Amino acid sequence: MKEKLADSVYAQIRQAIISGQLSSDELIQEQGVADQYGVSKITAREVLQRLCHDHYLKSLPRKGYLLLEISHAQLNMIQKVRYQVEALALREVIRRCSDEEIDQLEGILNTPSSSQYDPYATVNSNFHLQIARMSKNPYLYDTLYTFIGSVCRYAMTNGASLITQVDEPHHRQIVDALRKRDMALAAEELRLDLQLSRDEI
């Protein structure tokens, strides 16, 4: 029961962040969250720490929490590491997955986003997270999930089009490359999708 309550509070605070109800200079405190949502201070702390882990907040010891702002330079560093992680996931998909499993990626591209406010519910996020799932390596999925959270956080503060933008030709080329078991082509299309130059990978 406690986990479901914590999940609900987490979702509500994350939604407040995504929708812009919380400002970047608003200090969030554990007691305030506990009072507002009717949970214990321990549950409030767990929720806020989870939001830190998912790159929505940063902790200020003995003070509270603030929205995590990510600079363009930090975003670029994240995308470089993300490329390496996702390229490994692509390699695992080529090695382990059937054509029918790869077809699931095509299905995602043909499905509209389920929410305009949830960055994890966009076609773009679903596509990349499905690649990580298909690698059958939960550590790749968890790592990529965190990176996507950071990219979405940057997009929320610097232009929401980055969250929902799907560079469909690159995504479809990734799917085609996976079907052909062509790792070089899949990696190149991933690089283009992440808008990295060759000397950044």
Side-chain angles (χ1 to χ4, degrees):
M1 183 69 173
K2 178 187 169 189
E3 285 182 14
K4 287 185 180 177
L5 184 58
D7 288 344
S8 173
V9 174
Y10 171 90
Q12 290 177 69
I13 296 174
R14 190 181 74 168
Q15 181 61 33
I17 294 169
I18 292 168
S19 64
Q21 294 172 25
L22 293 174
S23 66
S24 59
D25 59 352
E26 185 174 344
L27 189 65
I28 302 165
Q29 296 181 317
E30 292 169 4
Q31 190 61 57
V33 169
D35 294 343
Q36 181 176 350
Y37 295 97
V39 296
S40 70
K41 197 170 174 183
I42 292 171
T43 299
R45 180 178 303 122
E46 288 172 3
V47 167
L48 293 169
Q49 288 175 348
R50 183 175 162 197
L51 287 161
C52 287
H53 177 267
D54 290 346
H55 297 268
Y56 289 102
L57 299 176
K58 64 181 174 183
S59 174
L60 303 175
R62 294 183 295 281
K63 291 183 180 179
Y65 301 80
L66 287 174
L67 296 189
L68 177 65
E69 295 190 46
I70 298 171
S71 71
H72 183 72
Q74 289 170 316
L75 175 70
N76 186 256
M77 287 187 277
I78 290 165
Q79 291 289 71
K80 288 178 189 177
V81 179
R82 176 184 167 185
Y83 170 85
Q84 300 300 328
V85 170
E86 201 162 348
L88 177 56
L90 289 170
R91 195 170 290 112
E92 291 297 305
V93 168
I94 286 173
R95 213 174 61 127
R96 297 172 175 266
C97 291
S98 67
D99 287 342
E100 290 76 20
E101 289 174 295
I102 291 169
D103 288 344
Q104 294 173 20
L105 291 169
E106 188 86 43
I108 289 170
L109 295 178
N110 296 328
T111 305
S113 296
S114 60
S115 170
Q116 63 180 5
Y117 297 110
D118 184 349
Y120 288 106
T122 66
V123 170
N124 189 42
S125 294
N126 283 331
F127 179 82
H128 290 282
L129 289 172
Q130 182 62 20
I131 289 171
R133 268 189 217 95
M134 289 166 58
S135 76
K136 299 179 173 63
N137 182 330
Y139 298 102
L140 281 176
Y141 179 87
D142 290 345
T143 303
L144 187 60
Y145 186 93
T146 300
F147 288 146
I148 287 176
S150 299
V151 172
C152 291
R153 198 57 208 112
Y154 176 84
M156 283 177 240
T157 56
N158 295 281
S161 64
L162 289 174
I163 298 175
T164 56
Q165 178 179 334
V166 177
D167 203 339
E168 190 171 307
H170 294 306
H171 288 173
R172 295 203 185 274
Q173 290 291 338
I174 289 170
V175 173
D176 289 343
L178 291 173
R179 285 185 181 127
K180 294 173 186 172
R181 307 304 192 260
D182 187 336
M183 182 58 204
L185 179 58
E188 175 63 6
E189 292 298 330
L190 174 64
R191 178 187 71 77
L192 293 169
D193 184 42
L194 299 184
Q195 301 175 9
L196 294 170
S197 63
R198 281 201 172 89
D199 64 356
E200 290 180 305
I201 61 172

